């Protein structure tokens, strides 16, 4: 994972300028990439979740290395959570080892970590949602409030989370 991160490190991606511009726009008081204009046009293409995430880092530094390292850390935490989910579901080391073997050639997942792109955080949040649902076995309002909060945050970054309940039903 670290080797792939280093391979792609110098290329923050084609959408980096847009996402960082939106984060800067949020910090200047408008949700617009065009925040430098007298009358900035609001952005209607992207959800505000990832630019808000980026804005948290932009408050402290214009460097993207902190964002990239955080995304790399989220990748490793996602692997740990996925292994925990597999342990909860199957209790077999063989299944977890198969998962890790399938992950080795899948450099496309870790290649998103140095990119200024929301896939790393969304991957983490989806796996975290599944982990919370399985780990907190007692169905009470606190569990459902936490899951609702995670679903809402994830939706604001990428609405792909809407497919998760369908996958639960299929499973």
């Amino acid at each position: 994972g670290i080797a792939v991160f280093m391979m792609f490190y110098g290329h923050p991606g084609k959408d980096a300028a847009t996402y960082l511009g939106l984060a800067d726009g949020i910090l200047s008081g408008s949700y617009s990439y065009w925040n430098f204009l007298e009358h900035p046009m609001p952005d209607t293409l992207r959800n505000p979740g990832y630019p808000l995430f980026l804005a948290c880092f932009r408050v402290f530094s214009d460097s993207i290395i902190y964002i990239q390292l955080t995304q790399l850390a989220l990748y490793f935490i996602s692997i740990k959570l996925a292994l925990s989910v597999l342990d909860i579901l199957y209790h077999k080391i063989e299944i977890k080892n198969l998962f890790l073997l399938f992950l080795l050639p899948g450099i496309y997942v870790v290649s998103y970590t140095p990119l200024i792109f929301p896939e790393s955080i969304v991957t983490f949040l989806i796996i975290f949602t599944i982990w919370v649902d399985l780990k907190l076995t007692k169905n009470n309002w606190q569990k459902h409030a936490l899951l609702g909060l995670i679903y809402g945050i994830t939706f604001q970054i990428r609405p792909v989370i809407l497919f998760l309940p369908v996958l639960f039903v299929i499973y």
Side-chain angles (χ1 to χ4, degrees):
I2 292 172
V4 172
F5 178 84
M6 295 306 291
M7 252 181 3
F8 290 95
Y9 171 72
H11 310 283
K14 294 178 181 178
D15 291 343
T18 306
Y19 280 118
L20 293 170
L22 285 169
D24 293 339
I26 288 170
L27 293 176
S28 70
S30 66
Y31 186 64
S32 175
Y33 168 75
W34 307 100
N35 60 60
F36 48 84
L37 296 176
E38 184 178 347
H39 300 289
M41 300 172 288
D43 190 278
T44 57
L45 177 64
R46 304 190 190 285
N47 288 8
Y50 190 63
L52 280 169
F53 172 78
L54 297 176
C56 293
F57 291 92
R58 301 288 277 185
V59 166
F60 301 106
S61 173
D62 285 341
S63 174
I64 62 171
I65 186 66
Y66 304 110
I67 299 164
Q68 293 170 317
L69 290 174
T70 300
Q71 291 182 163
L72 182 64
L74 288 174
Y75 170 74
F76 289 123
I77 294 168
S78 298
I79 292 172
K80 177 71 175 143
L81 286 175
L83 290 171
S84 180
V85 165
L86 291 172
D87 193 43
I88 292 168
L89 291 175
Y90 302 108
H91 305 293
K92 291 186 177 182
I93 192 78
E94 296 87 1
I95 303 263
K96 293 193 300 187
N97 285 339
L98 270 174
F99 167 74
L100 291 173
L101 281 173
F102 287 136
L103 197 61
L104 276 176
I107 65 166
Y108 53 87
V109 179
V110 73
S111 69
Y112 281 112
T113 59
L115 299 178
I116 303 303
F117 217 61
E119 267 55 31
S120 295
I121 191 169
V122 169
T123 300
F124 164 76
L125 287 168
I126 289 173
I127 293 172
F128 184 61
T129 302
I130 295 167
W131 181 82
V132 166
D133 193 32
L134 293 172
K135 193 73 170 172
L136 303 178
T137 56
K138 188 175 181 184
N139 282 323
N140 54 23
W141 72 268
Q142 291 99 339
K143 173 185 175 179
H144 297 294
L146 177 60
L147 285 171
L149 180 66
I150 300 167
Y151 269 86
I153 291 168
T154 308
F155 178 82
Q156 289 303 320
I157 297 170
R158 284 257 195 242
V160 71
I161 192 76
L162 296 176
F163 292 113
L164 194 57
V166 174
L167 293 175
F168 278 154
V169 168
I170 292 170
Y171 180 75

